[in-house]
């Protein structure tokens, strides 16, 4: 089925790719202001048409729009931010998306945002947004907090809200339940095993986060727990953001990465290289160096990672953890993209597999 999509705050095209994987042929009009994201989007979707900033997009310049997707800026809602909520300059841009839904009247729309939207200004911001959607009229609204780790090994909770014209069938998009499959993650292979006794299979997909060469290797990571540390073993991720915090815990992801951020303060016990490029693998039990204030805060993170026998996730691994093909962000229309920008774009992206699951449910209803 061919659809025309207005992809707002489009990033690197997670909504577009999720729609395609759900079976749609997508004609895309996309809006974005980050020049690197624009380049990557255009490089991967050659026929997509760029329409500028969301504040400049008008109904008159567009064809008939079937779907509007948007993951509007979330910094003012984020639990990690200053929590300005709808009063913040960036998060208030959602009103532009609401304006375009009102003008274009798509068949359905999807909004993605951070979990902190629920609690921003004691919940008042979220309900103001719901009221604004309801005031458009003619759409059934549903929402759910979904986690990327139901589909891929990244702990990333996001609100997904959909609006669609009900057809009288009584069907619902949500709830979407956790996938029946779980992941055993290692370099080069992901074992995806069904929890049902009926099926079990191994799929080689060259993902997701790294491993060590010895089953009994572990690293102790300083953390505000009763023991003073968390234990990371083969296949576990380590988050080294805000290293000077004395209250931070949950630094170790057991078989999953914690939420990717724009700076990629994410590491994994894994192989490293010496100054001559020789591969070094670590098989002895050891304790990580104390997280210090320069690590992950604009200081020499790479030095910390090397000393601690932890390596940073690669841009390709971040792409995989968000459901994108390998090297999706490596090139833009103007050439090679830096790793710094690749990390930022992956941290800002929507998870393709989650979008696909949501769209498939929408298809079943409308």
């Amino acid at each position: 089925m061919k659809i025309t999509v207005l992809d707002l705050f489009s990033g690197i095209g997670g909504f577009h790719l999720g729609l395609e994987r759900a079976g749609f042929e997508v004609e895309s009009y996309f809006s974005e202001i980050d020049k690197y994201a624009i380049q990557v989007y255009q490089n991967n979707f050659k026929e997509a048409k760029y329409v500028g900033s969301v504040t400049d997009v008008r109904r008159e310049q567009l064809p008939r729009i079937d779907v509007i997707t948007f993951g509007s800026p979330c910094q003012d809602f984020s639990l990690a931010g200053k929590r300005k909520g709808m009063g913040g300059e960036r998060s208030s841009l959602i009103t532009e998306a609401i304006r375009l839904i009102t003008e274009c009247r798509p068949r359905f729309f999807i909004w993605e945002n951070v979990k902190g939207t629920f609690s921003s200004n004691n919940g008042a911001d979220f309900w103001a947004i719901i009221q604004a959607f309801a005031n458009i009229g003619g759409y059934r609204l549903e929402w759910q907090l979904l986690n990327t780790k139901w589909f891929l090994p990244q702990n990333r909770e996001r609100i997904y809200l959909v609006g669609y014209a009900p057809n009288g069938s009584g069907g619902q998009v949500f709830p979407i339940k956790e996938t029946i499959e779980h992941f055993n993650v290692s370099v080069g292979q992901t074992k995806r095993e069904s929890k049902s006794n009926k099926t079990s299979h191994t799929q080689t997909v060259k993902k997701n986060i790294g491993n060590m060469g010895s089953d009994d290797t572990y690293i102790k990571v300083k953390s505000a727990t009763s023991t003073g540390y968390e234990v990371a073993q083969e296949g576990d991720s380590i988050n080294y953001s805000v290293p000077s915090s004395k209250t931070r815990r949950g630094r170790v992801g057991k078989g999953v990465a914690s939420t990717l951020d724009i700076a990629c303060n994410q590491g994994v016990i894994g192989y490293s290289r010496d100054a001559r490029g020789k591969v070094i693998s670590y098989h002895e039990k050891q304790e990580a160096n104390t997280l210090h204030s320069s690590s992950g805060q604009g200081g020499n993170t790479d030095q910390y990672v090397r000393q601690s026998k932890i390596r940073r996730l690669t841009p390709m691994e971040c792409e995989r953890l968000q459901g994108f093909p390998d090297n999706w962000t490596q090139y833009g229309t103007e050439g090679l993209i830096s790793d710094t920008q690749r990390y930022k774009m992956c941290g800002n992206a929507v998870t393709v597999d989650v979008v696909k699951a949501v769209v498939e449910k929408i298809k079943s209803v409308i």
Side-chain angles (χ1 to χ4, degrees):
M1 182 186 297
K2 186 174 183 178
I3 56 172
T4 303
V5 177
L6 179 56
D7 197 354
L8 304 173
F9 316 101
S10 61
I12 56 177
F15 273 116
H16 185 141
L17 192 57
L19 285 159
E20 287 188 343
R21 289 184 181 172
F24 285 111
E25 180 184 348
V26 177
E27 179 184 3
S28 178
Y29 292 77
F30 74 104
S31 171
E32 176 58 63
I33 61 171
D34 183 279
K35 67 178 183 179
Y36 299 105
I38 294 168
Q39 290 181 37
V40 168
Y41 195 109
Q42 197 78 71
N43 186 59
N44 286 293
F45 303 114
K46 307 295 186 185
E47 303 302 319
K49 301 171 181 64
Y50 178 62
V51 294
S53 168
V54 66
T55 57
D56 299 327
V57 180
R58 294 295 180 271
R59 170 69 187 91
E60 295 75 28
Q61 72 189 88
L62 301 168
R64 166 63 182 156
I65 297 296
D66 299 305
V67 180
I68 293 181
T69 58
F70 54 111
S72 52
C74 60
Q75 293 92 334
D76 297 318
F77 294 132
S78 175
L79 295 171
K82 295 182 179 180
R83 305 282 276 171
K84 294 181 179 179
M86 283 294 288
E89 180 179 353
R90 291 169 292 189
S91 293
S92 63
L93 287 172
I94 191 175
T95 60
E96 296 291 343
I98 294 170
R99 171 182 62 81
L100 285 164
I101 294 169
T102 304
E103 293 176 2
C104 297
R105 304 294 303 187
R107 294 183 62 192
F108 66 88
F109 59 86
I110 310 174
W111 174 50
E112 179 260 13
N113 220 281
V114 294
K115 180 181 179 180
T117 312
F118 278 144
S119 57
S120 176
N121 288 325
N122 294 318
D125 286 334
F126 181 73
W127 288 108
I129 292 169
I130 295 298
Q131 185 64 60
F133 283 132
N135 288 343
I136 297 172
Y139 290 100
R140 176 186 172 90
L141 302 176
E142 297 184 37
W143 60 89
Q144 184 182 348
L145 188 68
L146 302 176
N147 199 326
T148 293
K149 75 177 183 179
W150 299 354
F151 307 88
L152 293 167
Q154 180 195 174
N155 185 28
R156 186 184 188 88
E157 291 183 303
R158 291 293 185 268
I159 299 168
Y160 280 80
L161 180 145
V162 302
Y164 61 94
N167 62 6
S169 67
Q172 293 184 196
V173 174
F174 299 125
I176 291 175
K177 298 181 180 180
E178 182 173 354
T179 177
I180 63 168
E181 297 169 326
H182 68 280
F183 292 85
N184 293 321
V185 183
S186 63
V187 164
Q189 191 174 76
T190 296
K191 295 180 180 179
R192 181 180 292 180
E193 299 176 351
S194 171
K195 292 181 180 177
S196 165
N197 293 325
K198 295 181 180 179
T199 60
S200 179
H201 62 280
T202 299
Q203 178 179 329
T204 301
V205 288
K206 297 182 179 179
K207 55 169 100 173
N208 267 303
I209 55 179
N211 73 344
M212 281 290 296
S214 173
D215 290 339
D216 62 356
T217 302
Y218 68 81
I219 287 178
K220 293 180 180 179
V221 180
K222 302 289 186 182
S223 180
T225 62
S226 59
T227 60
Y229 62 86
E230 297 173 61
V231 174
Q233 297 175 301
E234 178 181 341
D236 295 340
S237 68
I238 298 169
N239 186 312
Y240 47 86
S241 64
V242 200
S244 59
S245 171
K246 296 181 179 180
T247 59
R248 184 69 183 267
R249 62 180 66 191
R251 292 191 180 277
V252 174
K254 306 306 292 182
V256 299
S258 55
T259 304
L260 295 181
D261 55 38
I262 61 175
C264 190
N265 292 310
Q266 299 270 357
V268 64
I269 306 175
Y271 297 102
S272 185
R273 296 180 182 272
D274 63 18
R276 297 180 180 180
K278 180 182 177 181
V279 172
I280 307 169
S281 61
Y282 304 96
H283 298 279
E284 72 275 15
K285 297 179 175 66
Q286 54 196 307
E287 184 169 343
N289 294 349
T290 303
L291 293 167
H292 52 75
S293 59
S294 64
S295 301
Q297 301 293 307
N300 193 347
T301 301
D302 289 339
Q303 180 181 3
Y304 163 73
V305 169
R306 287 198 303 272
Q307 291 173 347
S308 299
K309 313 304 186 283
I310 303 166
R311 69 165 177 81
R312 193 183 195 187
L313 293 179
T314 66
M316 185 185 294
E317 287 171 325
C318 292
E319 290 166 344
R320 292 168 174 174
L321 289 169
Q322 288 285 55
F324 290 93
D326 288 356
N327 295 319
W328 184 263
T329 62
Q330 186 174 18
Y331 291 96
T333 51
E334 297 182 16
L336 195 66
I337 302 291
S338 71
D339 283 358
T340 298
Q341 294 300 326
R342 294 179 70 183
Y343 284 129
K344 178 182 177 182
M345 289 185 285
C346 288
N348 280 331
V350 295
T351 305
V352 178
D353 295 58
V354 180
V355 172
K356 175 178 178 286
V358 172
V359 174
E360 287 177 338
K361 288 294 294 289
I362 293 173
K363 284 177 66 178
S364 71
V365 172
I366 69 171

